[in-house]
Amino acid sequence: MLWAGRKLTARLTSPRCIPGARRLISRPSHLDIFGVRYPTDATTNVTPAILAKLPLRLHTVPAHPLNTLRSLIESHFPDFSHLSSLSPLVTPYKNFDELSFPKDHPGRAVTDSYYINKDLMLRTHTSAHEVEVFREGKDRFLLTADVYRRDEIDHSHYPVFHQMEGARIFGADAAGLREVKGDNERLKGELAMLNIVIEDVPHVSLTNPVQRTHDIEYAEAVALNLKLSLNTLILGLFGGVAGTSRENPLRVRWIEAYFPFTSPSFEVEVFFQGKWLEILGCGVVQQATLDVAEVPNKIGWAFGLGLERIAMILYSIPDIRLFWSTDPRFLSQFKDGKITTFKPYSKFPSCFKDVSFWSPKDKALHENDFCDLVRDVAGDIVEDVKKIDEFVHPKTGRTSTCFRINYRSMDRSLSNDEVNAIQAQVVARLKDQLGVEIR
């Protein structure tokens, strides 16, 4: 389902309490999202703070670093379809099962993902749309979107971030193999003239195997096509910023990896500013995914990258929260199509607050539950949250936990009274929503 520019509302409708559920305060019976009403149930865990992000779509905002990065990558693949407006609402089947995720994969848990209800969730990755796009007949595409995961709070993690999915498939026949090999020769010729040094691993190995239904010669050719395509992309993104030359070429290395939806699979790192940095994951698409997409006579590759991760490196942006800033001192530093170094406009003081509590006797409290609650109360004025103590009482068996919250605004100084008021709201919500006993 395509969507763009529609107002999001999420309000309480017929509030009710759920006996025995972790959320002890009222929750709405329905959520209104993009003008559609969805029923909630015991699985519902999406918060108002997260719902408020759905219509923002930073990857389409003119001059925003994420939009510029998206455009630069799209310009590297001009003959690919460029997609950026698919709805973030997907079924768990679409998000996990279509991509061969195991039934016990931790990403399915309510502690890791946001659910509207048991049958609908916020996508956790752009791969959730891979099957539908293949089914539409597209054999090469780039898909950019906002994705949602419950996560810790620090300078590099945020519950909403932006991914780009790239994929290309070929006919699984002699003509397709000739196409792949011809493209490989072209890309090899281009790379030979560029300032790049590549540390490679075998395209297929015992520890990174070819799929049972794939011809090994074809699988190796597709894996090589993937590597060649991404090596040129990485040089295009990092080469200018890194100041590469014949004497100082860009260094890229490939590492064997595991992903449920590809085999063989790889991670790619680039040596930048004196250290190796992970850039993306990729591999040869699982044949089961193509079968579900009703293109069984195809073979191909896919990659996924986080726009924030790369933008933080290229623009020297130190805190992921800044991407959501509306402060002109941030936004005015960037122009469409140009990568510039971010200049910090201030570093405001921190204000630390600790909270200690006993968890409910009959329920485990996940750290993501605590972080989600803090985000919902305090928003982006929290820089990080750290668990500084935990122990189990030897007699009662109850767990005591202490978290330290670092309040630091990116835009202004916070008064101690202001932070105390917010901390009081956090404590109240902990008791009412998660059923803890404050120590």
Side-chain angles (χ1 to χ4, degrees):
M1 179 172 63
L2 298 179
W3 59 278
R6 285 178 282 182
K7 184 178 180 181
L8 171 79
T9 57
R11 63 176 185 274
L12 296 176
T13 307
S14 303
R16 59 191 177 193
C17 292
I18 303 93
R22 175 174 296 167
R23 290 181 177 270
L24 303 179
I25 62 171
S26 298
R27 66 161 166 79
S29 61
H30 293 81
L31 295 173
D32 291 328
I33 305 174
F34 301 133
V36 179
R37 175 168 290 190
Y38 298 96
T40 62
D41 58 26
T43 310
T44 304
N45 65 353
V46 65
T47 64
I50 296 301
L51 290 173
K53 303 290 189 186
L54 265 63
L56 300 185
R57 304 175 67 239
L58 298 183
H59 60 288
T60 64
V61 175
H64 194 281
L66 299 183
N67 180 59
T68 291
L69 184 55
R70 173 183 66 86
S71 298
L72 290 174
I73 297 172
E74 289 178 346
S75 69
H76 187 78
F77 296 97
D79 56 344
F80 280 44
S81 297
H82 300 156
L83 312 172
S84 59
S85 300
L86 280 76
S87 170
L89 303 177
V90 299
T91 64
Y93 180 83
K94 186 174 183 178
N95 197 78
F96 299 116
D97 297 282
E98 284 188 344
L99 299 167
S100 303
F101 274 72
K103 293 294 184 183
D104 60 351
H105 193 279
R108 296 177 182 263
V110 293
T111 54
D112 280 34
S113 299
Y114 288 107
Y115 285 85
I116 309 302
N117 53 47
K118 64 181 178 61
D119 299 317
L120 195 66
M121 66 184 299
L122 299 180
R123 63 182 164 225
T124 65
H125 51 183
T126 47
S127 301
H129 302 286
E130 200 171 273
V131 167
E132 69 176 287
V133 177
F134 283 144
R135 187 180 287 135
E136 290 172 357
K138 293 181 173 62
D139 59 9
R140 60 187 78 188
F141 66 85
L142 295 173
L143 192 160
T144 313
D146 43 325
V147 300
Y148 301 79
R149 297 181 193 172
R150 303 186 75 195
D151 214 337
E152 59 196 283
I153 299 177
D154 62 32
H155 78 282
S156 62
H157 291 86
Y158 203 82
V160 190
F161 57 105
H162 299 76
Q163 281 188 340
M164 176 174 278
E165 178 96 357
R168 184 178 182 183
I169 54 177
F170 308 86
D173 53 18
L177 181 57
R178 286 194 299 271
E179 179 187 358
V180 176
K181 287 185 174 181
D183 198 45
N184 288 349
E185 291 305 311
R186 176 185 64 82
L187 290 168
K188 284 180 183 178
E190 292 180 4
L191 278 169
M193 297 183 290
L194 300 176
N195 300 321
I196 186 171
V197 173
I198 301 158
E199 299 179 24
D200 205 355
V201 293
H203 310 322
V204 172
S205 70
L206 291 176
T207 53
N208 204 17
V210 64
Q211 296 172 46
R212 180 179 54 82
T213 58
H214 285 174
D215 174 79
I216 188 168
E217 180 188 8
Y218 206 158
E220 287 187 321
V222 169
L224 176 57
N225 189 261
L226 165 66
K227 292 178 177 181
L228 295 170
S229 299
L230 293 183
N231 284 333
T232 56
L233 168 65
I234 292 168
L235 181 62
L237 291 176
F238 288 89
V241 179
T244 57
S245 63
R246 283 293 178 187
E247 295 73 29
N248 181 39
L250 187 71
R251 294 169 59 191
V252 174
R253 70 180 179 189
W254 288 74
I255 301 169
E256 289 187 359
Y258 167 77
F259 303 109
F261 33 82
T262 55
S263 186
S265 302
F266 310 93
E267 289 178 346
V268 188
E269 296 183 345
V270 62
F271 194 75
F272 187 75
Q273 296 181 345
K275 57 185 176 181
W276 286 103
L277 303 172
E278 180 187 336
I279 300 302
L280 57 84
C282 57
V284 176
V285 178
Q286 284 284 359
Q287 194 59 44
T289 300
L290 298 175
D291 292 345
V292 172
E294 300 172 8
V295 286
N297 298 318
K298 299 285 187 178
I299 182 173
W301 52 255
F303 72 87
L305 56 82
L307 292 181
E308 280 89 346
R309 176 193 294 272
I310 297 178
M312 289 176 78
I313 297 169
L314 295 177
Y315 288 88
S316 298
I317 294 174
D319 193 316
I320 197 169
R321 294 177 298 163
L322 281 164
F323 290 109
W324 299 91
S325 176
T326 57
D327 192 317
R329 291 173 295 178
F330 175 76
L331 296 176
S332 64
Q333 295 191 35
F334 310 108
K335 295 181 180 180
D336 270 327
K338 186 177 181 181
I339 294 177
T340 55
T341 300
F342 169 67
K343 298 177 181 178
Y345 40 85
S346 188
K347 185 74 170 179
F348 296 99
S350 290
C351 185
F352 295 97
K353 299 293 179 181
D354 294 352
V355 57
S356 300
F357 53 83
W358 296 105
S359 295
K361 293 181 180 180
D362 57 343
K363 297 181 182 69
L365 178 65
H366 196 282
E367 190 167 343
N368 285 348
D369 293 331
F370 181 82
C371 289
D372 240 23
L373 183 148
V374 171
R375 281 194 177 101
D376 207 35
V377 173
D380 288 347
I381 67 169
V382 173
E383 182 172 274
D384 59 62
V385 170
K386 295 180 180 178
K387 183 164 63 176
I388 61 173
D389 185 53
E390 185 174 69
F391 73 92
V392 177
H393 194 285
K395 293 184 178 180
T396 65
R398 296 181 69 186
T399 299
S400 171
T401 308
C402 181
F403 286 97
R404 177 162 294 163
I405 305 173
N406 177 13
Y407 293 92
R408 192 206 309 255
S409 172
M410 298 174 290
D411 306 320
R412 61 186 177 85
S413 292
L414 301 172
S415 70
N416 196 54
D417 288 344
E418 181 181 5
V419 174
N420 283 339
I422 297 170
Q423 181 77 354
Q425 294 180 51
V426 170
V427 170
R429 287 275 296 273
L430 277 171
K431 294 189 290 186
D432 293 341
Q433 185 169 318
L434 300 182
V436 308
E437 179 185 339
I438 303 297
R439 297 186 64 200

